[in-house]
Amino acid sequence: MTDIKKEEEKSLNFLEEIVEEDLAAGKYKSILTRFPPEPNGYLHIGHSKSIVLNFGLAQKYGGKTNLRFDDTNPVTEDTEYVEGIKEDIRWLGFEWANEFYASDYFEQLYTFAEDLIRKGLAYVDDSSAEEIARMKGTPTEPGTDSPYRSRNMEENLQLFRDMRAGKYRDGEKVLRARVDMSAPNMQLRDPIMYRIKHAHHHRTGDSWCIYPMYDFAHGQSDSIEHITHSVCTLEFVPHRPLYDWFIEKLAIFPSHQYEFARLNMTYTVMSKRKLLQLVNEGYVTGWDDPRMPTISGLRRRGYTPESIRMFADKIGVAKRENLIDVSLLEFCVREHLNKIAARRMVVFDPLKIVLTNYGREEEMLPVEDNPEDPATTHRQVPFSRELYIEREDFMENPPKKFFRLSPGQKVRLKSAYIIQCEEVVKDETGKITELKCSYLPESKSGGTESNIKVQATIHWVSIVHAITAEVRLYDRLFRVEDPASEDGDFKEYINPDSLNVAVAYAEPALRKVKFNEHYQFLRKGYFYLDKDSSEDRLIFNRTSTLRDNWVKEQKKQ
RNA sequence: UGCCCUAUAGUAUAAUGGUAGUACGACAGAUUUUGGUUCUGUUUGUCGAGGUUCGAAUCCUCGUGGGGCAACCA
């Protein structure tokens, strides 16, 4: 009931409004969107905004979404990326109606081009790239006509066929649309439709040596598939008149382009070019390095598809430039993981404690797996006389608001007993090596007299039963909010401490950990088994820390 | 010195000529065997100047700020 109400109250974004209007006006019976990545890199969190938008629009209004690879530039593209992209989309939880490639349409696009030549709307230009650039003019000065602009139709047709037949070298000729060399919109100054590239294409092999440009492939592909709403990012706004021009002159299905502002996020970079640099120059270990904003990186780090979809939903869709705080992404993943992650106790920086009055060898204590789950299961955790606690959970001279262990003070060991610190043992350098504590037998968790109040509860692990695990603790990849907008090379702003590796002591239940299981290490954060793990070596990535008011409190002082 | 997009709390986003709301953040409190979670409360906003109107965040004009466009990239 409340959910329905919420749904009703939730306002539409401008694209949903357009779709609703089109549907209401009977313009379309159902809608068809597409997600059109170029297979020249891996998908990142910015793409997930587009994916959730395109697939979400179709889902919401009973339509469908095609996956179309925009593979018109053979030199940068590869099937490795095709496979990676498909995996990422599926992982995010979306299924496409059709898998298409712009290269599926090369023959059709070629026919379209000949059609435009016959109509006198395209011509072969022999000018060099430099000459074409010069004749293009500037934003404030009109361009000038190429001497080849007035070539007759038959000659253009023959030349274009010769281009396809491989008679010319790369760069010798191009096919251009004859639009308007003095248009205020630069995109309309006779844009290039085809260029010669004697290059191997990952799907069409060597069967073509001319390849269509984006502008002569994208809109036409949309039209061939009868895409109703072609949603892309803002930088293509100036291309829209050209998109419409080609469709009009070709008299083909009128797909329409709509633009939204791409996602920018603090403390990271979001362009494939920059991400590729980080990979190639060894700043990260790969596209799926857990510090990367890529889908594969986030997945490896322990993010869930649900959390990313929630994020995409929360950031909204509009046309103004934005810089989303990464803390919103972190909020989303905590929100989800808090509900599903099993709790475990792991000590990162151990301080030994000895319970001087604990007479038994050991005992097993039941500990709940997830307090958020009313039907939570319990596991048996071994407790014994010698334990590790977190070194930071003890202070010899604590400040006022420190609630944890200190000389003479009590804390509860989670799901076990309350202990009191009796003696601090140090080595010759003054470093604390051990704490001698007493425990309160009647304070046993769950017991009738266990309701004794103490200020804090801390996690622990039994030394003889502990297993070790490597934990990889990540921080933001960059030191500044918006590295791309800083002066100089963005790589100067990389955070040198974005990765910290430590060996931690874990309760034995963690020995049975499996891939795809999300854990909360009590009070330490959310963790996820890394693919680098092996039978005898557990490696965990910290997905995210927990919110920490104590850190804030300390900063105030 | 052109064309295009854009401007609402710290960050995003809604209000579609009629009470400026929501989320995250921040701050304060309650609860808590995680300084987590949960709950409650507080704080902060319509870029500027004119105009239209009974009434403007919304429409118009002129500024100003931000972004994009001059790849044989997408």
Side-chain angles (χ1 to χ4, degrees), chain A residues 59-81:
Chain A
Q59 279 174 0
K60 182 164 182 176
Y61 296 104
K64 287 183 170 147
T65 305
N66 288 343
L67 169 60
R68 185 176 66 237
F69 289 97
D70 232 333
D71 56 349
T72 57
N73 186 2
V75 300
T76 57
E77 296 156 6
D78 196 278
T79 45
E80 174 201 343
Y81 298 124

Side-chain angles (χ1 to χ4, degrees), chain A residues 71-75 102-103 105-114 117 124-125 156-176 192-201 204-214 216-217:
Chain A
D71 56 349
T72 57
N73 186 2
V75 300
S103 55
Y105 310 132
F106 279 173
E107 192 62 49
Q108 174 67 262
L109 294 171
Y110 177 84
T111 306
F112 285 155
E114 283 208 352
I117 293 173
V124 173
D125 195 329
N156 280 321
L157 207 50
Q158 189 54 51
L159 254 17
F160 187 49
R161 287 173 180 170
D162 289 345
M163 280 169 63
R164 175 179 183 171
K167 288 197 183 175
Y168 306 108
R169 272 192 281 271
D170 289 9
E172 238 177 287
K173 285 179 167 50
V174 290
L175 183 72
R176 290 229 257 169
I192 291 168
M193 295 164 59
Y194 270 91
R195 75 288 214 193
I196 299 169
K197 274 180 195 276
H198 290 273
H200 187 84
H201 186 281
T204 60
D206 298 311
S207 52
W208 291 87
C209 64
I210 57 171
Y211 292 92
M213 297 286 288
Y214 167 85
F216 196 66

